[in-house]
Amino acid sequence: MPPRRSSYASVAAGTATASPQSHTPVQSGAFSHLMNPASSASSHPQMPESEQHSQGTHQRSETSTAANERSNWGKGGGPTNHPSQYSFGGVYAVHNTVGSALGDFFVPSYLRESRYMENLESAYKARISTQKEAVLMHTGTSNVPLSANSSSVSLHRMQPSHRGMTYEIVENQPVVEDDGPAPLPSKWAEVDKYGGLEIISDGLDVRYTGPLRTHEHEAAAARADHPMPPQCGIYYYEVSILHKGKEGMIGIGFSGPRVSLERLPGYDSDSWGYHGDDGMTFCCQMTGRKYGPTFTTNDVVGCGVNFMTGCAFFTKNGVLIQGNAFRDLKDIKLYPSVGAKQPGAHLRANFGQMPFMFDIDGMMTREKSNIMADINLANIATLHPPLSEDALIKELISQFLRHDGYVDTAKAFMEEMSAETKALKSGSDAKTDTYTVQEDIDAINRQQIRAAILDGDIDKALKRTNAYYPDVLRQNPRVHFRLRCRKFVEMMRHSTELRNGNLEKRPKPVNGHTEEGYGQAMDLDEPMSNGDGWDEMETEDVGNSLRYEENLNETLRYSQELKIAYKDDPSKEVKDTLTAIFALFAYEDPRVSPIAAVMDQSGRVPVAEELNAAILVSLGKSSVAALERLCQQTEVLLGEISEQGGAGAFINMDHDFLR
């Protein structure tokens, strides 16, 4: 039975029941970026294969060759097992330059800022990284695993954070089925169509080239390669009628995976369609109802499903047809589907690769605005009594600042809030809420350690950690390992800069904390020269060339120290990480190599956060601030709400609230 989630009130108060994992620092996979150079600070699982679905086929026993040929038109080509492919994205495309196995990724305009699309794009990039590694391994360019995506099942996904996704290494985890975000429909499925239909133009065009269907309700239909994902909230696609055929009997809609492909959409159970010859809609039966105008050659018909309301709608030439076409759509995988009665019919789909004729972006914005209005009306005054809503928000912000070591900023923030409250009070004897921040020397120490890591000075961070918290690195050997690996990466960065004669100067400090006490600015502390780091080898009278040789030799010696120190460690993480960072030696300029991401400065952030979490746990404090935990829990709840197309599908926590 999964552990019960803590309430928002207990999270904010810091009294939430701790899970067993809370007694140890979060293993955030600080060097996951080393194994996944194609993604930034996170890694995501691969996208899933669609489930197999079969077609209804009608086989006849004919003796003549002509009859046999006709019977073959009715076969859909066997069961479907679609790969996760993505078609060319037009205006919003991200082209895949690695190969054609993954196709091309596109972002429909109305989903551009959605949570679903961000997750899907991250999963796509992870697959691209996996393919790059496979190509390099196959061609023998490198014998070093450049990405952990080939073993991405070993990455345990932790609670999402507003700072970015984190991962915990779980070794020897068995291979499991991919549970990534459901892919978007991108083309008509070659193996999920009536045999008399021809699919052309990168899978977007369907042309009826087969024989005439003679029976009254016989037709030829096709389905898309993937079902509509409810997680996007609203799904929409358009179909251009390039040619209606002889009589113009065309149906556009959606159907389940096992519906017959020998009738127009809407005629069978689990099938819904809007027909062009009479303007009627058909809901799982051959009896229709009057709905909208007819459509013919040169018309553009759009079909959409609002998964939050369970209703479907259609458009014609960019105009919404009033009224819901269908209601109470049940929980079933719905595939975009089209059908035609007569040979010569030619239809072209737009699944979002190109701009739509209908303003679906506006519809999405209106739905989101309604949900945001409901959110803004929510009353959280009773969330954590006796604090009012305003006081609770201030306390969460203050606690977050103190937690991350920004004590001066927290102090200034609360003083400003207190002054503002006083100004708003009327009357000389009006009571004023007061907020105080206790100066925390541990917060200062932690911030100075974090600043050293973010500045690339790992020696300083190690020295201060051992001085202030002598047991932390001993009790957290994996954190210590990642710090040492990061030191090696920084040494390689320094060598590369020296070699190219453009050694970067350290940025000026902006942190208010000094060795003696508090300063006035925020965030980072003044770097101090302790004379104990590899970067102290510079002297005014030694040229870049000599300094480069000295630093490179020092880096080689340090790599040998690492290799010896961890040669008997059985951990796969240790072996893979050392292999990845030592691969930097193989390139003349690692910054322009296939593993350049290993050298990126963004890799300092997860190392700093992981060490900070370990220090907090050693002090008996939570490794996560209450505000951050609140954001994490909200993100999880949004994911659950959006799974079946609920209101959460229209909200992007990061984009709508945290930016």
Side-chain angles (χ1 to χ4, degrees):
M1 181 176 179
R4 181 180 179 183
R5 289 196 184 95
S6 303
S7 68
Y8 289 116
S10 62
V11 169
T15 60
T17 302
S19 62
Q21 289 84 354
S22 66
H23 299 292
T24 57
V26 176
Q27 299 296 317
S28 59
F31 275 83
S32 61
H33 64 285
L34 296 180
M35 265 64 83
N36 185 10
S39 59
S40 56
S42 61
S43 177
H44 296 264
Q46 298 176 8
M47 284 167 283
E49 302 285 338
S50 295
E51 69 169 22
Q52 293 188 353
H53 53 277
S54 60
Q55 307 81 30
T57 58
H58 182 63
Q59 300 181 357
R60 307 175 181 85
S61 298
E62 306 280 354
T63 55
S64 67
T65 303
N68 283 331
E69 180 180 2
R70 173 172 293 186
S71 73
N72 288 334
W73 289 113
K75 299 178 181 179
T80 302
N81 188 8
H82 302 306
S84 298
Q85 294 179 333
Y86 301 87
S87 297
F88 179 66
V91 179
Y92 308 114
V94 180
H95 186 64
N96 172 20
T97 58
V98 177
S100 60
L102 292 178
D104 295 282
F105 185 84
F106 65 93
V107 180
S109 60
Y110 67 101
L111 297 177
R112 212 178 315 162
E113 296 177 351
S114 69
R115 178 177 180 271
Y116 162 79
M117 206 67 234
E118 286 184 358
N119 292 339
L120 191 64
E121 186 169 359
S122 295
Y124 172 78
K125 290 178 179 178
R127 298 196 71 186
I128 290 292
S129 178
T130 300
Q131 192 183 43
K132 283 182 178 179
E133 177 186 334
V135 171
L136 289 173
M137 295 293 287
H138 179 72
T139 58
T141 303
S142 173
N143 293 322
V144 178
L146 304 181
S147 168
N149 289 317
S150 59
S151 58
S152 59
V153 293
S154 295
L155 296 179
H156 172 64
R157 188 172 183 173
M158 301 185 65
Q159 287 185 332
S161 164
H162 69 278
R163 296 178 181 173
M165 195 66 68
T166 58
Y167 289 84
E168 178 178 4
I169 299 296
V170 178
E171 298 177 18
N172 301 322
Q173 182 175 338
V175 176
V176 295
E177 290 298 320
D178 185 7
D179 60 350
L184 286 167
S186 62
K187 61 182 179 181
W188 302 115
E190 186 69 44
V191 291
D192 200 9
K193 67 179 179 65
Y194 175 72
L197 295 178
E198 180 185 10
I199 296 178
I200 55 178
S201 300
D202 295 328
L204 298 179
D205 283 31
V206 174
R207 187 164 56 194
Y208 192 171
T209 57
L212 174 69
R213 306 308 304 274
T214 57
H215 296 290
E216 180 180 0
H217 295 294
E218 284 186 337
R223 274 189 289 268
D225 54 350
H226 299 292
M228 307 175 184
Q231 296 89 344
C232 63
I234 293 177
Y235 180 78
Y236 180 77
Y237 76 102
E238 289 182 346
V239 176
S240 299
I241 316 299
L242 301 183
H243 197 284
K244 67 175 183 178
K246 184 177 180 181
E247 298 179 11
M249 296 185 67
I250 293 172
I252 297 172
F254 44 89
S255 67
R258 302 185 183 279
V259 175
S260 171
L261 295 170
E262 296 190 351
R263 283 182 287 275
L264 293 177
Y267 280 168
D268 293 293
S269 178
D270 294 338
S271 180
W272 297 261
Y274 172 33
H275 293 186
D277 59 313
D278 53 18
M280 301 180 73
T281 54
F282 293 80
C283 177
C284 308
Q285 58 183 351
M286 294 185 179
T287 302
R289 69 176 182 89
K290 185 62 180 176
Y291 170 68
T294 61
F295 53 86
T296 184
T297 302
N298 296 325
D299 284 331
V300 177
V301 177
C303 172
V305 175
N306 187 328
F307 288 97
M308 184 175 68
T309 62
C311 297
F313 61 92
F314 288 90
T315 67
K316 178 183 175 183
N317 297 329
V319 178
L320 178 67
I321 300 174
Q322 295 302 313
N324 291 316
F326 308 111
R327 298 176 181 271
D328 303 322
L329 294 174
K330 56 187 178 180
D331 185 16
I332 183 177
K333 292 184 183 296
L334 301 175
Y335 290 76
S337 180
V338 294
K341 176 75 174 177
Q342 301 289 337
H346 189 177
L347 313 176
R348 175 172 298 161
N350 175 14
F351 294 109
Q353 295 95 331
M354 298 167 287
F356 290 113
M357 181 172 285
F358 173 66
D359 183 19
I360 185 63
D361 297 56
M363 175 181 284
M364 196 76 169
T365 299
R366 289 189 293 274
E367 287 286 354
K368 182 172 181 176
S369 297
N370 292 335
I371 296 171
M372 292 294 289
D374 291 339
I375 293 174
N376 292 331
L377 290 174
N379 183 7
I380 63 172
T382 60
L383 187 63
H384 187 62
L387 293 179
S388 65
E389 177 178 336
D390 184 59
L392 175 59
I393 293 174
K394 292 175 181 177
E395 178 59 30
L396 286 171
I397 295 173
S398 173
Q399 193 269 342
F400 173 79
L401 293 172
R402 297 197 309 272
H403 179 276
D404 278 20
Y406 308 131
V407 178
D408 281 347
T409 305
K411 187 177 180 180
F413 169 76
M414 298 314 293
E415 287 175 351
E416 183 178 341
M417 292 300 100
S418 180
E420 180 182 302
T421 303
K422 270 186 185 178
L424 294 174
K425 295 288 185 179
S426 59
S428 58
D429 57 348
K431 295 183 67 176
T432 303
D433 295 333
T434 59
Y435 306 95
T436 61
V437 177
Q438 181 180 359
E439 295 182 350
D440 185 355
I441 190 63
D442 281 321
I444 300 173
N445 293 338
R446 288 187 290 107
Q447 182 57 19
Q448 289 175 351
I449 293 170
R450 180 201 295 265
I453 296 175
L454 296 181
D455 195 39
D457 195 341
I458 309 302
D459 274 332
K460 181 190 287 186
L462 289 169
K463 181 176 180 179
R464 289 184 173 177
T465 301
N466 287 323
Y468 301 147
Y469 313 103
D471 296 330
V472 167
L473 296 180
R474 179 179 55 81
Q475 293 172 352
N476 298 274
R478 283 295 175 263
V479 175
H480 191 196
F481 167 72
R482 290 166 188 144
L483 278 165
R484 297 185 70 181
C485 288
R486 188 67 214 181
K487 175 180 175 179
F488 171 82
V489 172
E490 296 299 334
M491 294 175 80
M492 287 296 297
R493 280 178 52 84
H494 189 68
S495 293
T496 303
E497 291 163 357
L498 285 173
R499 180 183 180 279
N500 289 277
N502 59 347
L503 180 62
E504 298 176 356
K505 293 185 177 180
R506 301 292 184 187
K508 288 292 184 182
V510 293
N511 184 26
H513 307 315
T514 64
E515 294 295 322
E516 293 75 25
Y518 297 95
Q520 298 300 320
M522 180 181 175
D523 293 355
L524 299 180
D525 68 331
E526 179 77 39
M528 295 185 61
S529 177
N530 293 319
D532 58 350
W534 51 267
D535 57 334
E536 296 297 325
M537 293 183 296
E538 297 181 28
T539 58
E540 291 292 329
D541 57 342
V542 180
N544 271 354
S545 177
L546 181 56
R547 280 180 282 156
Y548 166 70
E549 293 295 335
E550 292 175 348
N551 194 82
L552 184 60
N553 289 334
E554 182 67 20
T555 304
L556 286 168
R557 284 193 294 271
Y558 187 69
S559 68
Q560 290 299 315
E561 291 178 17
L562 281 178
K563 185 175 180 180
I564 293 171
Y566 295 98
K567 64 182 178 64
D568 297 324
D569 194 310
S571 169
K572 185 176 185 297
E573 178 201 355
V574 169
K575 296 181 184 299
D576 288 350
T577 302
L578 291 178
T579 301
I581 63 174
F582 290 163
L584 294 170
F585 280 129
Y587 299 96
E588 186 174 2
D589 188 348
R591 297 177 304 177
V592 293
S593 71
I595 56 174
V598 174
M599 303 255 292
D600 196 272
Q601 295 185 31
S602 63
R604 299 169 180 172
V605 177
V607 180
E609 291 188 356
E610 189 169 16
L611 178 55
N612 186 59
I615 294 172
L616 285 166
V617 170
S618 73
L619 297 172
K621 299 179 181 180
S622 172
S623 62
V624 181
L627 181 59
E628 187 172 2
R629 192 180 299 277
L630 187 63
C631 291
Q632 291 175 347
Q633 188 167 351
T634 303
E635 183 73 22
V636 172
L637 292 176
L638 282 175
E640 292 185 358
I641 295 172
S642 65
E643 190 61 30
Q644 298 303 321
F650 296 86
I651 301 300
N652 184 331
M653 182 78 175
D654 181 61
H655 185 273
D656 298 332
F657 295 100
L658 301 178
R659 290 185 184 176

